Amino acid sequence: MAPPSSLYEKEQDVPIERQGDVEADPQHTIDEEFGGHEARKKLEKKLLRKLDARMSILIVIYILNYIDRNNASAARLRGFEDDLHLKNQEFNTLLSILYVGYILMQIPSNMFLNYIGKPSIYLPCCMIVWGMISTLTGITKNFVGALLTRFFLGFVEAAFFPGALFLLSKWYTRSELGMRTAVLSCGSLISNAFGSLIASGILDGMEGKLGHSAWRWLFYIEGALTMFVAVLAIFVLPDFPATSHTWLSPEEVRLAEKRMEEDVGVGDEGETEAGGQMHGLTLAVSDWKVWWLAVALTSMVISLSFNAFFPTLSATMGYNSTITLLLCAPPWVFATIVAFAMCRHSDKTRERFWHIAIPLAFGIVGFIMAISTMNLAARYISLFLMAQSYAGFIIFLAWISNSIPRPPSKRAVAIAFINAFAQLGNISGSYVWPKQWGPTYAHSYAICISTNGLCIVMCYVFKRHLERKNREFENKEQEEGRPAGFRYIT
């Protein structure tokens, strides 16, 4: 058996020498410790049911994460700017400053999470803090106060999404990860739909209650709800396979570890971790694939920047604030359905690129429609096409974990780094939709079209690279007479 250092040759991919080990053994020998193949399949279904039930709370957390992040856009429709005396680009600055803290904390947060191995404690504690900060936004009196709460909100919210993606990658195989990532990420789509409905109800019914503006109640109520769910999450969220023992039998723990070992030919911990947490950081930042994916995702995020301004774009159709918020919901419901269908098919076919490129291409069609006409029906249809392009974003997130499978310390840093780097797209995207470009926002849509197209091209180049690596793996296996081993999902 090769020493651990041999696992990090050239591009730090999983070693081909180890990849065929599992496949070389007869199936009954592999599953013997679980009572045979049929008994293992039954146990695996039971394990996945338990996992899915516990992981489902991540969807609720992500919905609240996005609602707390984007409620300023809804508050803008009911006096947020006037009450805080905002002028010029100050509202856009409030949106963008959140991502500064978001960028700064993602990598250290995921490194810390990988080190302590207790997401059931760490993630809910961060959630309680961000719920409290979101609530405090409701008592701000001026631009500086709102700026500080938005900055620290991003600082603490940074822990959740990369941490959740890393947690999923510790439990699910690559063929299962796309659908689970989709289910999680659909939380953001659902939040856009139902967040608008909740905001509509609060803004319409709480104006002047106890002497407070409706937009202040929006922050009070949604922040309090976040803290309540965070307390529940402490008792529901699982930890990692190596640290989850209270709700799994020893046999189920072993199966969870075995599944991840079989998925890429090596285990997830001792067999791939050779140099500690800082070694994972070094591996991630020295791998060109991480930087390539980071730039591609940043380009995509700029093209999706319409998300933060969706109520504003809906308002260009000329309805009042309540109807405007209600009209925001259907496009995101449609986007959720598309994302589920695309991600399910992507996992089934083990293909990523076309499942990313096609939704993005339809998004470009939506941008072109919005540029071309102010017709009510056409503009509303364009919002549906824009929203469904989020399916490509969700599948891209699964592709990241698929393309950097081991070691877990590198995967933790890579997920956080790519997601953090992509927030540069959110910062710049906050300034892509100035009021003076409305109501057509033709310049804004042109920027989205160009960044969307760049992302598609970069994904295609990455797909070709992975296909070349797969051919190299296959050729080497044929020369050495070994069975098929690890392959990248393209």
Side-chain angles (χ1 to χ4, degrees), residues 380-397:
Y380 196 47
I381 291 171
S382 75
L383 293 180
F384 280 79
L385 294 176
M386 292 179 216
Q388 64 79 43
S389 60
Y390 257 85
F393 173 78
I394 294 169
I395 296 169
F396 190 99
L397 296 176

Side-chain angles (χ1 to χ4, degrees), residues 224-236:
L225 181 61
T226 296
M227 290 187 280
F228 173 73
V229 173
V231 174
L232 298 181
I234 295 174
F235 304 100
V236 178

Side-chain angles (χ1 to χ4, degrees), residues 149-212:
T149 56
R150 293 286 295 179
F151 172 75
F152 287 109
L153 180 64
F155 204 79
V156 184
E157 278 198 353
F160 174 69
F161 191 58
L165 290 179
F166 183 54
L167 176 59
L168 292 177
S169 74
K170 295 283 280 188
W171 284 100
Y172 294 105
T173 64
R174 292 178 302 144
S175 61
E176 299 163 347
L177 196 57
M179 191 58 192
R180 268 69 180 193
T181 302
V183 172
L184 168 64
S185 300
C186 281
S188 68
L189 305 182
I190 295 169
S191 76
N192 285 320
F194 292 99
S196 296
L197 297 178
I198 294 170
S200 174
I202 295 172
L203 293 174
D204 205 38
M206 297 300 291
E207 181 63 45
K209 300 293 184 183
L210 300 180
H212 297 293

Side-chain angles (χ1 to χ4, degrees), residues 441-456:
Y441 291 100
H443 298 301
S444 306
Y445 289 125
I447 292 171
C448 291
I449 291 170
S450 59
T451 52
N452 211 334
L454 175 61
C455 178
I456 293 173

Side-chain angles (χ1 to χ4, degrees), residues 184-343:
L184 168 64
S185 300
C186 281
S188 68
L189 305 182
I190 295 169
S191 76
N192 285 320
F194 292 99
S196 296
L197 297 178
I198 294 170
S200 174
I202 295 172
L203 293 174
D204 205 38
M206 297 300 291
E207 181 63 45
K209 300 293 184 183
L210 300 180
H212 297 293
S213 301
W215 71 263
R216 296 188 186 275
W217 280 109
L218 182 67
F219 288 102
Y220 297 154
I221 293 171
E222 292 180 349
L225 181 61
T226 296
M227 290 187 280
F228 173 73
V229 173
V231 174
L232 298 181
I234 295 174
F235 304 100
V236 178
L237 269 181
D239 290 319
F240 297 148
T243 53
S244 282
H245 300 295
T246 57
W247 57 281
L248 291 177
S249 67
E251 192 177 29
E252 287 170 332
V253 171
R254 174 62 191 137
L255 177 58
E257 294 172 339
K258 186 75 172 176
R259 278 163 33 87
M260 303 310 295
E261 179 180 334
E262 291 172 350
D263 191 39
V264 293
V266 290
D268 202 36
E269 299 293 343
E271 293 184 66
T272 57
E273 295 286 15
Q277 303 302 308
M278 294 307 296
H279 187 53
L281 175 62
T282 303
L283 289 174
V285 299
S286 61
D287 188 346
W288 74 269
K289 295 197 303 294
V290 172
W291 290 91
W292 188 267
L293 291 171
V295 174
L297 186 58
T298 302
S299 185
M300 188 194 300
V301 166
I302 294 174
S303 76
L304 299 176
S305 61
F306 64 84
N307 167 48
F309 295 86
F310 213 75
T312 301
L313 299 179
S314 180
T316 62
M317 290 185 288
Y319 297 104
N320 64 41
S321 60
T322 300
I323 294 177
T324 291
L325 287 171
L326 293 176
L327 288 174
C328 289
W332 293 112
V333 173
F334 174 70
T336 304
I337 295 170
V338 172
F340 268 114
M342 293 295 288
C343 292

Side-chain angles (χ1 to χ4, degrees), residues 16-69:
I16 295 177
E17 289 79 12
R18 299 291 307 279
Q19 292 157 2
D21 290 353
V22 173
E23 289 83 349
D25 294 331
Q27 188 65 48
H28 71 273
T29 304
I30 297 174
D31 298 337
E32 191 174 348
E33 63 180 299
F34 305 110
H37 183 58
E38 290 302 318
R40 173 186 162 149
K41 284 176 64 178
K42 187 176 179 180
L43 184 65
E44 194 163 2
K45 286 182 180 179
K46 182 181 177 184
L47 171 65
L48 286 174
R49 280 198 302 270
K50 283 186 175 182
L51 265 179
D52 290 341
R54 285 182 173 266
M55 292 291 193
S56 61
I57 197 170
L58 290 175
I59 304 170
V60 180
I61 297 174
Y62 198 27
I63 290 172
L64 295 172
N65 179 277
Y66 243 74
I67 285 176
D68 289 337
R69 191 187 312 176

